[in-house]
Amino acid sequence: MADVARLAGVSHQTVSRVLNDHPSVRPTTRDRVLAAIADLGYRRNIAARALVTRRSGTIGVVTTGSALYGPTSTLIALEEAARDEGYYVSVATIRRTDGATMLRVLEHFMGQAVEGIVVIAPQTDVAAAVDSFRPPVPVVMIAARELADGAGRGTEDPTAPRLVAVDQRAGARLATDHLLGLGHASVRHVAGPLDWFDAIERLAGWREALVAAGAEVPEPILATWSADDGYDVGRRLAGRIFAGDGPSAVFAGNDQLALGLLRAFWEAGLRVPDDVAVVGFDDVAGSAHFIPPLTTVRQPFGELGRACMTLLLEAIEGRPARPVAIAPTLEVRASTAPPQRRTRR
Amino acid sequence: MADVARLAGVSHQTVSRVLNDHPSVRPTTRDRVLAAIADLGYRRNIAARALVTRRSGTIGVVTTGSALYGPTSTLIALEEAARDEGYYVSVATIRRTDGATMLRVLEHFMGQAVEGIVVIAPQTDVAAAVDSFRPPVPVVMIAARELADGAGRGTEDPTAPRLVAVDQRAGARLATDHLLGLGHASVRHVAGPLDWFDAIERLAGWREALVAAGAEVPEPILATWSADDGYDVGRRLAGRIFAGDGPSAVFAGNDQLALGLLRAFWEAGLRVPDDVAVVGFDDVAGSAHFIPPLTTVRQPFGELGRACMTLLLEAIEGRPARPVAIAPTLEVRASTAPPQRRTRR
DNA sequence: ACGCCGGGTGTTAGCGTTAACACCCGCGGG
DNA sequence: CCCGCGGGTGTTAACGCTAACACCCGGCGT
């Protein structure tokens, strides 16, 4: 900076002023400084700046170590939103979701002096770990928790993590209503692991839709997120469907489960959607080419990322919290149709 | 730090020594300092440290803005490897792959004073943009380029980007040889976009395997990575297969293409693997539950991430470059079998 | 007995930037 | 004519840390 100052014939402080867009610098002076900067290829030292301003310009993002569709898409959307705001994004992944791991990651970020943290917290224990730590910087948590309940409250603890998520419950209602609207008497649900907010909320939305329609609420079938589990469940259901007491429609907790179901049904000789209708959740790449193409719920991750960044900046500026829910949409494809008389073959 | 020093009854420099594991500190003193640190909840200021050591402890990772399976898995593996080495990971995504965008991202990282950069460069133009910029810090590029050619050379420019990748060509040979070994006379290939190294290398590997086996080398079919394209190609191939002049085996450039093929074949009434065998590439989640379960090539991303980090650390220390290729494995499932007489239905 | 050595510690001087203040100068108003 | 004001600029002092050096002291070799 001293070199630039010398070359431009000004003091280093004037160079600093130019760099920071300070108003009271004469245009001619500014140009001279700018020219000198370009000439020397000068680049300001971010560490020195951070030292004196006490701002790192970095936010930390915690995500799970899985390559699952949702978390990944969220991370990418987040990075883009952050860079648009002039922030650097530092990421850390957690494989295990216990509190100790979360604490280590948060320490990692505090050591880096991040100005805010975004936690992609799909599971309850991840969220609990965040709650119990309360880092000294604002935290935004992407977790489909308390969205419905918390939306009205204004008396939140300002240091509590702020919430944003795609409204999983609304998505599940969309899927269930779609099936009911086609004429299915009820809908069976294959739920994801119930330590995931997404699974809890999708289950709740499914139940709400059934209750609202006055339909029977069958027992949900608990599973993981994997296609393996969908396959196993599908084989059991296929037997029931053949026996005549199976569901005419199934709402799978995600597209992987739906994929497993489809395969099991296909292997059993059941026709989808005639013998049984199937809806998934996520709209993963390729779901339009499952056999048959899968009706599913699409989540707007880009919007989620931007909303998250907005929330974080508000928190950094000390503005009050307001949970944000983002509406998913239904993608109707060939795996759903009105119920048909079952044809034995 | 001064507070800690006062509480421990030492000088701030001794505190610094304890923090940096300097050998000549008496154990009792060290314990006293450690206790004071814990007591005060002291955390060293990373900016001040970076200012004086001229080391930021951060590496930058450039990745594409897509949620594609490969790049995403790589990023996660990389973060883990980096954190194990005590580095922070800053990410930046690029949506468009032109040189100007790449330059902006690299400037972003230089502004952050990263010590090294990893570019996940699946496309040729991304790699070209890196080549043309030559940042002042070491760069490792994850690109399946010149792996075979460059492996032997030792006279590389030390400032040139270092290469590491999963050996796509070997993976394609694995897939093709598997099909030939089953008795297929030749194998058709649906290639991904040829501005991707992966597509180029998989195409080359497929061709090599055919030539090595003395098999006919049919024209490759060019496509994108999408299941949509796989479906379109599949419909055309299905017609040929029915007409009797179609392939008995297809090697798809990735699992998405394979998924589209499977659906097209299924809709046309062709049986996989009896009428036509299909192999994919990637082993994406769910490929074990495609209809039928897909034989595919699995890429060891964890290993890739660690190798990448090793390479970067070597570059930072100024050690010579050596391109690294990582061997993928074949996952044999139900979509492949020896060729059968085709049965019309 | 003396000097030398080396482990253990303190003191001092930056690292490159911004904040705070001091300063100069030309202008308008009393 | 002088004073006050404010835009434009320079000077100085941090920010919190580590490197380099200075220093002390006990033990060892000569």
Side-chain angles (χ1 to χ4, degrees):
Chain A
M1 191 179 251
D3 295 343
V4 172
R6 206 171 308 120
L7 182 58
V10 297
S11 76
H12 64 116
Q13 176 61 349
T14 298
V15 176
S16 172
R17 279 195 262 259
V18 169
L19 251 22
N20 292 311
D21 284 327
H22 191 93
S24 59
V25 176
R26 202 187 317 232
T28 61
T29 313
R30 178 185 310 275
D31 290 346
R32 235 175 35 246
V33 171
L34 254 23
I37 286 174
D39 220 36
L40 267 48
Y42 164 78
R43 202 173 280 138
R44 130 173 90 188
N45 181 318
I46 194 183
R49 171 169 227 251
L51 179 60
V52 67
T53 60
R54 293 139 185 290
R55 292 205 35 205
S56 64
T58 303
I59 67 167
V61 178
V62 184
T63 184
T64 64
S66 77
L68 286 178
Y69 185 70
T72 308
S73 307
T74 306
L75 173 62
I76 291 168
L78 209 48
E79 190 279 331
E80 207 160 304
R83 193 141 48 96
D84 282 349
E85 302 286 348
Y87 279 88
Y88 298 109
V89 171
S90 181
V91 304
T93 59
I94 47 176
R95 215 172 339 181
R96 299 188 311 131
T97 56
D98 56 301
T101 308
M102 174 61 74
L103 200 131
R104 260 212 323 283
V105 167
L106 293 182
E107 282 290 344
H108 175 82
F109 280 148
M110 293 327 301
Q112 203 180 3
V114 298
E115 293 179 36
I117 295 175
V118 177
V119 182
I120 301 176
Q123 285 158 282
T124 51
D125 53 358
V126 174
V130 173
D131 284 339
S132 66
F133 183 56
R134 285 298 168 85
V137 297
V139 174
V140 169
M141 193 155 62
I142 300 182
R145 179 177 73 168
E146 296 171 12
L147 280 177
D149 317 341
R153 292 189 243 156
T155 59
E156 294 279 346
D157 169 7
T159 72
R162 302 176 181 220
L163 292 172
V164 58
V166 173
D167 192 339
Q168 306 294 328
R169 197 179 291 211
R173 280 197 303 264
L174 232 45
T176 311
D177 285 341
H178 167 65
L179 289 168
L180 294 174
L182 287 171
H184 293 275
S186 186
V187 175
R188 205 74 202 266
H189 178 47
V190 184
L194 291 183
D195 58 334
W196 286 62
F197 293 118
D198 291 358
I200 296 168
E201 289 296 303
R202 288 171 198 174
L203 177 65
W206 161 77
R207 181 170 279 138
E208 282 176 14
L210 289 180
V211 169
E216 179 208 350
V217 180
E219 195 66 19
I221 302 167
L222 303 184
T224 69
W225 292 123
S226 76
D228 281 353
D229 268 35
Y231 180 66
D232 291 343
V233 169
R235 295 224 291 188
R236 272 182 284 137
L237 284 180
R240 296 263 202 80
I241 294 170
F242 269 112
D245 70 336
S248 71
V250 181
F251 166 42
N254 75 349
D255 285 356
Q256 291 295 325
L257 286 169
L259 178 63
L261 287 175
L262 292 180
R263 178 180 162 219
F265 292 157
W266 178 80
E267 285 185 359
L270 286 170
R271 293 167 309 167
V272 176
D274 296 342
D275 294 331
V276 55
V278 176
V279 176
F281 206 114
D282 272 353
D283 192 27
V284 298
S287 60
H289 292 276
F290 287 178
I291 298 173
L294 185 68
T295 295
T296 188
V297 179
R298 174 183 300 164
Q299 308 192 53
F301 290 110
E303 206 180 320
L304 177 63
R306 285 189 297 275
C308 186
M309 204 56 214
T310 305
L311 227 52
L312 190 61
L313 292 181
E314 285 180 6
I316 290 175
E317 292 167 14
R319 277 189 271 166
R322 59 178 169 90
V324 173
I326 292 165
T329 55
L330 185 70
E331 191 73 13
V332 179
R333 300 206 186 97
S335 69
T336 50
Q340 306 284 322
R341 162 150 299 134
R342 196 161 296 134
T343 56
R344 304 286 176 99
R345 271 164 302 167
Chain B
M1 190 180 251
D3 295 343
V4 172
R6 207 171 308 121
L7 181 59
V10 297
S11 76
H12 64 118
Q13 175 61 352
T14 299
V15 176
S16 171
R17 279 194 263 257
V18 169
L19 251 22
N20 293 311
D21 285 326
H22 192 93
S24 59
V25 176
R26 202 186 320 231
T28 61
T29 312
R30 178 186 309 275
D31 291 345
R32 235 178 31 248
V33 171
L34 254 21
I37 286 174
D39 220 34
L40 267 47
Y42 165 78
R43 202 173 280 136
R44 127 172 94 188
N45 181 317
I46 194 183
R49 171 170 227 251
L51 180 59
V52 66
T53 61
R54 290 138 187 293
R55 291 203 37 207
S56 63
T58 302
I59 67 167
V61 178
V62 184
T63 184
T64 65
S66 78
L68 285 178
Y69 184 71
T72 309
S73 307
T74 306
L75 174 62
I76 291 168
L78 208 48
E79 191 280 331
E80 206 159 304
R83 194 141 45 95
D84 282 349
E85 302 286 349
Y87 279 88
Y88 298 109
V89 171
S90 181
V91 303
T93 58
I94 47 177
R95 216 171 337 180
R96 300 187 312 129
T97 55
D98 57 301
T101 307
M102 175 60 77
L103 199 130
R104 260 209 325 282
V105 167
L106 293 181
E107 282 290 342
H108 174 82
F109 280 148
M110 293 327 300
Q112 203 180 1
V114 297
E115 292 179 37
I117 294 175
V118 177
V119 182
I120 301 175
Q123 286 158 281
T124 52
D125 53 359
V126 175
V130 174
D131 284 340
S132 66
F133 183 55
R134 284 299 168 83
V137 297
V139 174
V140 169
M141 194 155 63
I142 301 183
R145 178 178 72 168
E146 296 172 11
L147 281 177
D149 318 342
R153 292 189 242 153
T155 58
E156 295 278 345
D157 169 6
T159 72
R162 305 183 177 214
L163 292 172
V164 59
V166 173
D167 192 339
Q168 306 294 329
R169 197 179 291 211
R173 280 198 304 262
L174 231 46
T176 310
D177 285 342
H178 166 66
L179 290 167
L180 294 174
L182 287 171
H184 293 275
S186 185
V187 175
R188 204 73 202 264
H189 178 48
V190 184
L194 291 183
D195 58 334
W196 287 62
F197 293 118
D198 291 358
I200 297 168
E201 289 296 303
R202 288 171 198 175
L203 177 65
W206 161 78
R207 182 170 277 137
E208 282 175 16
L210 289 180
V211 169
E216 181 209 347
V217 180
E219 196 65 21
I221 302 167
L222 303 184
T224 69
W225 292 124
S226 75
D228 280 353
D229 268 35
Y231 180 66
D232 291 343
V233 170
R235 295 225 291 188
R236 273 182 283 136
L237 283 180
R240 299 261 202 84
I241 294 170
F242 269 113
D245 69 337
S248 70
V250 181
F251 166 42
N254 75 350
D255 285 357
Q256 291 295 325
L257 286 169
L259 178 63
L261 287 174
L262 292 180
R263 177 177 162 222
F265 292 158
W266 178 79
E267 285 185 0
L270 287 169
R271 294 168 309 168
V272 175
D274 295 344
D275 294 331
V276 55
V278 176
V279 176
F281 206 112
D282 272 353
D283 192 26
V284 298
S287 60
H289 293 275
F290 288 179
I291 298 174
L294 185 68
T295 295
T296 188
V297 179
R298 176 182 299 166
Q299 308 192 54
F301 290 109
E303 206 180 319
L304 177 62
R306 285 189 296 276
C308 186
M309 204 55 214
T310 305
L311 227 52
L312 190 61
L313 292 180
E314 284 180 7
I316 290 174
E317 292 166 14
R319 279 189 270 167
R322 59 179 169 91
V324 173
I326 292 165
T329 55
L330 186 70
E331 191 73 13
V332 179
R333 300 205 186 98
S335 69
T336 50
Q340 306 284 323
R341 161 151 299 135
R342 193 161 303 131
T343 56
R344 302 286 177 99
R345 270 164 300 167

